[in-house]
């Protein structure tokens, strides 16, 4: 966001003003408060605010009267009114008088966020229309999508053009090529950027879990469910949903998914109310979906529904000119997170990296650099710090399960039981890793 | 004398292991000395019988009034359901650029949502929330990077989508805000 959005909070209750003040400040807005309508109007005479959030019931002039005065003065002001006692009557009145929205206190944190994002979106769209009409669209928020090769530039161009639309996108490419990163870039450059990007790792979930995950459930749907749980489709309202490893979902889920994509409505598990959500779908797979359709493993109708646009990311070995840039970037990234200045890399080491074929693509390169910074002498990355020879795992394991157990434990130990990093290194998502830890009853060494 | 310490103060019962792991995660992110202590506050004073929750504003002020030797930031850890008047619940909150924050474990267990329990997942969520609130005490505001720990999260699944680390951008800001104060 170019300019800081400003919010004026008007409420006679101090604790409400304070709470909203800290909440908005933490969100990066400029905020001021007034304890009554008169003060608010005085403030508005000398200062402009993008959003006014006003209580209805206040001593002296009430919120509705203030709303009318603000609107009379500046027609396109965004005023949101709040009340502790909602009645249909006042709601209708407020909306008729031009309130942007009408909300009941106390709010769910999520609803408050949504409310302000909605307003923010309206403001920035209006501004974009006004001032940026002839400006060429350039990608924002892609500073962590590194690459200068023609192949990568092509991908970026595709991201740029598809971001402006609402079309479904399938991103294809080998494991570790950056499919998820590209999906995020599409979202971050779309008009949906103010709303959530929600990802679902389809491969990690069993069919029944996937259902509750995607559609949510009502409290009481299971014993012990004290709170409702939002499903991913609901969370992605006004934003984007990223379905990773789409090729892994069961035939039954394929049918369900198709239905939701067509109707944009669903019912929470254990619920009976139809919920609608406006989401954009982005999927990723490292499988040949077309081929799966031909073999009858993936529904053709769903395939066409999803595959409106296809962005393919070529493997790293086909764009080795990106390797130096990536290496630089990862050195900076990991040195910074380990709180030390970036270190250089030996030419010999760099040459060998460019010869390596990287079956695990960028993720593999990233892990290598991170490891090299840890195992090296701290001054320079040298050839010997890079595991470019095939490592042979030594273990006394006899069964495949034993082997997996030992291996996972080894990597967990290496990353100090940091789940995110271990999952990344193992190229599985965290949920899968949690399942494996449970399955093998793995514990850190100091707890065994 | 060392003024770099971060103190985590637990109020109510917590597994020792969970506290230690949380402290370790904080240590890793802030590169500083992290102490864990037990604190005692009469929680009943902050209980709202109508909402059956505890007032987060009151608790934050109460923790802020405590002082611990050599400590620049204090984070109160609770295991009760927190609210503030305007919101139905909060996971935690902090004084932006101040000395104090609070976080609660209460809503982080899967069981509350009728899901199979998962201690590691709960711990992960807690670590992220604690680091997040501490980030606020150092003056960091919310970040739009979807995996950054400073991203705002309003429900647990949202927390699951981010990592327990600061993104490069926030880490840079943190360093500027602290003037390299936390560097080893
Ligand atoms: N162009 C890039 N610039 C910088 N980092 C990248 C790039 N592409 C990928 N990465 C990094 O490599 C890792 C793997 O990327 P990502 O998870 O997006 O791959 P993926 O294609 O989704 O892999 P998989 O198929 O295994 O899920 C991530 O840590 C990501 O940040
Ligand atoms: Mg992926
Ligand atoms: Zn926050
Ligand atoms: Zn950040």
């Amino acid at each position: 966001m170019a300019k800081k959005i400003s919010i004026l909070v008007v409420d006679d209750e101090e604790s409400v003003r304070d709470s909203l003040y800290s909440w908005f400040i933490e969100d990066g807005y400029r905020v001021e408060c007034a304890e009554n309508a008169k003060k608010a109007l005085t403030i508005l005479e000398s200062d402009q605010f993008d959003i006014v959030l006003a209580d209805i019931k206040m001593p002296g002039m009430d919120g509705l009267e203030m709303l009318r005065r603000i609107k009379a003065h500046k027609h396109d002001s965004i005023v949101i009114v709040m009340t502790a006692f909602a009645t249909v009557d006042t709601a209708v009145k407020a909306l008729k008088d031009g309130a942007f929205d009408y909300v009941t206190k106390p709010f769910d944190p999520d609803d408050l966020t949504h409310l302000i994002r909605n307003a923010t979106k309206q403001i920035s769209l209006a501004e974009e229309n006004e001032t940026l009409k002839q400006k060429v669209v350039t990608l924002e928020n892609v500073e962590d999508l590194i690459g200068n090769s023609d192949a990568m530039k092509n991908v970026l161009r595709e991201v740029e053009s598809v971001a402006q639309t609402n079309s479904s996108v399938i991103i294809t490419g080998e494991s570790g090529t950056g499919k998820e990163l590209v999906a995020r870039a599409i979202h971050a450059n779309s008009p949906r950027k103010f709303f959530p990007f929600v990802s679902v790792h389809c491969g990690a979930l069993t069919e029944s879990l996937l259902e509750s995950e995607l559609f949510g459930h009502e409290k009481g749907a299971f014993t012990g469910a004290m709170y409702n749980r939002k499903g991913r489709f609901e969370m992605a309202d006004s934003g984007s949903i990223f379905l990773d490893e789409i090729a892994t979902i069961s035939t039954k889920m394929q049918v369900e998914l198709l239905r939701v994509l067509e109707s944009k409505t669903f019912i929470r598990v254990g619920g009976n109310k139809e919920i609608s959500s406006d989401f954009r779908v982005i999927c990723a797979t490292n499988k040949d979906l077309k081929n799966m359709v031909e073999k009858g493993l993936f529904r053709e109708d769903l395939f066409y529904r999803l595959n409106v646009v296809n962005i393919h990311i070529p493997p790293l070995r086909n764009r080795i000119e990106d390797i130096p840039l990536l290496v630089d970037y990862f050195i900076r990234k990991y040195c910074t997170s380990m709180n030390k200045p970036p270190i250089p890399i030996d030419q010999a080491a760099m040459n060998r990296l460019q010869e390596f074929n990287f079956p695990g693509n960028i993720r593999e390169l990233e892990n290598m650099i991170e490891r090299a910074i840890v195992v090296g002498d701290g001054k320079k990355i040298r050839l010997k710090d890079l595991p470019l020879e095939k490592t042979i795992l030594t273990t006394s394991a006899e069964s495949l399960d034993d082997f997996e157990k030992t291996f996972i434990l080894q990597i967990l130990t290496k990353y100090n039981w940091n789940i995110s990093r271990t999952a990344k290194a193992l190229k599985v998502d965290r949920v899968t890793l949690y399942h494996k830890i449970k399955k093998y009853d793995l514990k850190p060494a100091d707890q065994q | 004398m060392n003024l770099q310490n971060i103190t985590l103060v637990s109020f109510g019962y917590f597994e020792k292991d969970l506290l230690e792991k949380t402290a370790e995660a904080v240590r890793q992110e802030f590169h500083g000395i992290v102490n864990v202590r037990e604190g005692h506050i009469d929680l009943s004073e902050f209980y709202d019988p109508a909402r059956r929750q505890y007032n987060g504003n009151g608790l934050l002020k109460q923790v802020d009034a405590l002082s611990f030797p050599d400590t620049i930031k204090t984070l109160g850890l609770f295991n009760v359901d927190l609210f503030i008047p305007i919101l139905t619940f909060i996971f935690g909150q902090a004084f932006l650029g101040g000395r104090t924050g609070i976080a609660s474990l209460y809503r982080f267990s899967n069981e509350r949502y009728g899901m199979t329990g998962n201690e590691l997942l709960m711990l992960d969520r807690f670590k992220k929330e604690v680091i997040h609130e501490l980030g606020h005490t150092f003056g960091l505001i919310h970040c739009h990077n979807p995996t950054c720990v400073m991203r705002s999260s309003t429900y647990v699944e949202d927390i699951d989508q981010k990592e327990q680390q600061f993104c490069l951008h926030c880490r840079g800001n943190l360093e500027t805000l602290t003037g390299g104060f936390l560097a080893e």
Side-chain angles (χ1 to χ4, degrees), chain A residues 265-331:
Chain A
T265 62
F266 48 88
I267 292 170
R268 286 183 184 157
V269 176
N272 47 24
K273 200 172 69 187
E274 194 150 86
I275 294 175
S276 65
S277 174
D278 163 36
F279 50 84
R280 187 224 186 125
V281 183
I282 307 174
C283 315
T285 178
N286 52 17
K287 298 273 171 357
D288 185 349
L289 270 192
K290 191 93 206 260
N291 187 263
M292 287 180 68
V293 170
E294 275 155 23
K295 288 194 177 135
L297 297 169
F298 200 86
R299 287 183 70 102
E300 188 172 19
D301 43 10
L302 180 60
F303 174 74
Y304 284 111
R305 183 104 213 161
L306 296 172
N307 192 39
V308 178
V309 180
N310 171 221
I311 298 182
H312 181 72
I313 314 177
L316 185 55
R317 62 185 163 279
N318 294 351
R319 44 182 168 116
I320 55 175
E321 60 269 47
D322 285 342
I323 291 179
L325 284 177
L326 284 162
V327 168
D328 250 29
Y329 172 73
F330 292 134
I331 291 180

Side-chain angles (χ1 to χ4, degrees), chain B residues 143-145 148-151 165-171:
Chain B
C143 173
H144 291 291
N145 186 322
C148 176
V149 73
M150 287 316 292
R151 195 183 120 108
Q165 280 96 23
F166 295 109
C167 71
L168 277 184
H169 180 76
C170 287
R171 179 153 291 289

Side-chain angles (χ1 to χ4, degrees), chain A residues 19 29 61 83 100 170 210 243 255 264 269 290 373 386:
Chain A
S19 302
Y29 299 104
M61 189 193 305
T83 174
F100 180 77
I170 289 195
L210 190 61
L243 303 172
V255 180
K264 298 265 166 128
V269 176
K290 191 93 206 260
I373 295 171
L386 298 168

Side-chain angles (χ1 to χ4, degrees), chain A residues 357-404:
Chain A
N357 82 332
F358 289 104
N361 292 288
I362 301 186
R363 184 184 291 109
E364 187 173 10
L365 174 64
E366 178 168 0
N367 291 342
M368 263 187 208
I369 299 297
E370 182 185 8
R371 177 181 174 279
I373 295 171
V374 174
V375 303
D377 62 7
K379 296 193 190 76
K380 200 170 198 181
I381 294 180
R382 298 166 210 277
L383 191 51
K384 68 168 177 45
D385 305 331
L386 298 168
L388 292 172
E389 262 64 57
K390 267 230 148 45
T391 43
I392 296 160
L393 193 76
T394 48
T395 141
S396 56
E398 300 235 315
S399 71
L400 203 53
D401 267 6
D402 275 351
F403 178 80
E404 184 174 71

Side-chain angles (χ1 to χ4, degrees), chain A residues 26-27 108 217 232 430 434, chain B residues 88 113 124 142 160-161:
Chain A
E26 284 178 4
D27 248 352
D108 274 354
H217 64 239
R232 303 285 157 131
R430 294 209 308 267
Y434 284 125
Chain B
T88 48
Y113 305 87
D124 249 17
H142 288 154
D160 296 341
Q161 306 236 345

